[in-house]
Amino acid sequence: MASSVKLEPLDSGATPRFAGLATFMRLPVARPDEVDVAVLGAPFDGGVTNRPGARHGPRELRNQSSLMRRHHHVGGRSPYDVARVGDCGDVPVHPLDLMESMRLIEAYYRAVREAGATPLTAGGDHLISLPILRGLSTGEPVGLIQFDAHSDTYDEFFGQKVNHGTPFRRAIEEGLVDPKRMVQIGLRGSIGDPANFDFAKAAGVRTIFIEEFSDRGVDDVMDEALAIVGGAPVYVTFDIDALDPAFAPGTGTPEIGGLTTREAQAMIRRLSGLSIVGADLVEVAPPFDPSGLTALTGATLMFELLCVIADSVAARAAG
Ligand code: MN
Ligand code: MN
């Protein structure tokens, strides 16, 4: 933390929400070494296997995040009262070179970690989580809570091992994530091969399909998820396609029968108290989102994530 001066979103009484630079949550632009929580964009979708567009996610998430106000309505607390939060811009990527983008993203997140900031990232496709986890790694595997319609633990697509269907298999293989402290919530949809989930199961990942979630409900599922990840460092990744496409149609690989936005909000709120090392919200694809609803939904879930990350940062600062 470089300064004790508070960072605040623009006052909508002084600057209307449709005016000014479209930063995340209308926050000041800042460097990672000036903040506790760095809100970032990763405008990259070179890992997509089917419908691209998530490279445009950060810009539209920033636009829709202008509707976020400073206080969470539950309890009236504000993340900006307990943590310094800024928009640290977009991560450098190479739109024509996937492996170079992986290196650029990893290097950037290593610098963010060394600056002492906890990153909250707007994707981008789900592959970005892999170089983020690499850059944040301290050598010890972290826990992972993944909200997603898909497992993303497949081995390869088109003979390639680095794409948005494989990041968490690579992360487990590389020792970045402890599979016994990993929970996936919301999986569903037709699959190409019944063996798709064998790797995650054999590795010890807890996979909660939407049918089990529907039977048990938010609190029972989250009680179990929190017990699995425990108090050690954990990364949180939210693929917008975890939501039902009725709430979030603007994404590359929609699957019907998903989470409601209220269920997602309730689950994210349960993450308060965890030791969160970073989080991302991925796969918002504005070309499939003409109303802007998916980006608004994503921006609102980013605010929910920001609130629990700020709690985590404040708890670490208090020792
Ligand atoms: Mn997905
Ligand atoms: Mn995913």
Side-chain angles (χ1 to χ4, degrees):
M1 193 190 303
S3 160
S4 59
V5 177
K6 256 168 97 169
L7 296 179
E8 292 277 357
L10 282 178
D11 177 358
S12 60
T15 309
R17 294 191 177 278
F18 48 83
L21 295 177
T23 59
F24 285 116
M25 320 298 170
R26 311 185 87 216
L27 285 162
V29 174
R31 297 190 314 269
D33 65 351
E34 296 175 310
V35 298
D36 302 310
V37 183
V39 191
L40 297 159
F44 180 75
D45 63 10
V48 166
T49 52
N50 184 11
R51 304 197 300 170
R55 68 180 61 182
H56 303 292
R59 187 159 289 186
E60 280 312 304
L61 286 159
R62 279 191 177 91
N63 184 25
Q64 294 292 340
S65 78
S66 68
L67 282 153
M68 298 304 109
R69 303 173 187 88
R70 70 186 305 285
H71 296 279
H72 196 284
H73 73 275
V74 178
R77 68 209 176 87
S78 164
Y80 313 116
D81 288 341
V82 295
R84 287 168 55 80
V85 189
D87 185 329
C88 294
D90 284 344
V91 182
V93 296
H94 192 310
L96 300 177
D97 189 332
L98 188 156
M99 297 314 279
E100 175 63 6
S101 294
M102 297 291 284
R103 286 186 285 272
L104 289 167
I105 297 170
E106 177 183 346
Y108 194 89
Y109 281 80
R110 184 171 302 114
V112 168
R113 175 171 64 81
E114 288 168 359
T118 301
L120 169 59
T121 307
D125 73 52
H126 219 158
L127 176 58
I128 66 163
S129 300
L130 177 59
I132 292 173
L133 287 165
R134 286 173 176 165
L136 295 181
S137 177
T138 58
E140 287 293 309
V142 296
L144 184 77
I145 297 182
Q146 175 192 359
F147 299 96
D148 206 324
H150 312 99
S151 176
D152 297 351
T153 57
Y154 314 117
D155 190 26
E156 57 179 44
F157 283 91
F158 301 100
Q160 298 293 326
K161 288 185 179 282
V162 178
N163 59 69
H164 77 156
T166 64
F168 302 114
R169 184 153 176 164
R170 301 287 95 81
I172 291 168
E173 290 170 347
E174 294 175 22
L176 303 171
V177 166
D178 177 357
K180 298 195 165 47
R181 293 184 52 235
M182 175 171 166
V183 185
Q184 307 175 298
I185 301 170
L187 275 67
R188 61 192 187 274
S190 54
I191 46 176
D193 184 340
N196 276 0
F197 306 112
D198 289 359
F199 172 85
K201 192 172 181 186
V205 175
R206 177 68 171 104
T207 299
I208 299 173
F209 286 84
I210 199 72
E211 289 77 15
E212 180 181 352
F213 173 83
S214 183
D215 287 344
R216 294 173 59 191
V218 165
D219 281 321
D220 194 30
V221 162
M222 291 311 291
D223 285 346
E224 183 188 355
L226 297 178
I228 288 170
V229 299
V234 62
Y235 189 84
V236 180
T237 186
F238 198 109
D239 184 330
I240 200 75
D241 70 30
L243 296 171
D244 192 277
F247 302 95
T251 191
T253 320
E255 306 284 354
I256 71 161
L259 300 173
T260 68
T261 45
R262 274 196 295 207
E263 289 165 343
Q265 287 173 296
M267 282 195 279
I268 292 172
R269 290 170 197 167
R270 288 291 313 273
L271 305 179
S272 183
L274 292 182
S275 179
I276 300 173
V277 296
D280 59 47
L281 185 292
V282 299
E283 298 284 359
V284 171
F288 302 112
D289 190 34
S291 73
L293 169 64
T294 311
L296 172 65
T297 301
T300 309
L301 295 181
M302 284 183 71
F303 181 71
E304 296 277 358
L305 287 166
L306 176 59
C307 289
V308 294
I309 293 172
D311 288 347
S312 181
V313 164
R316 278 200 290 267

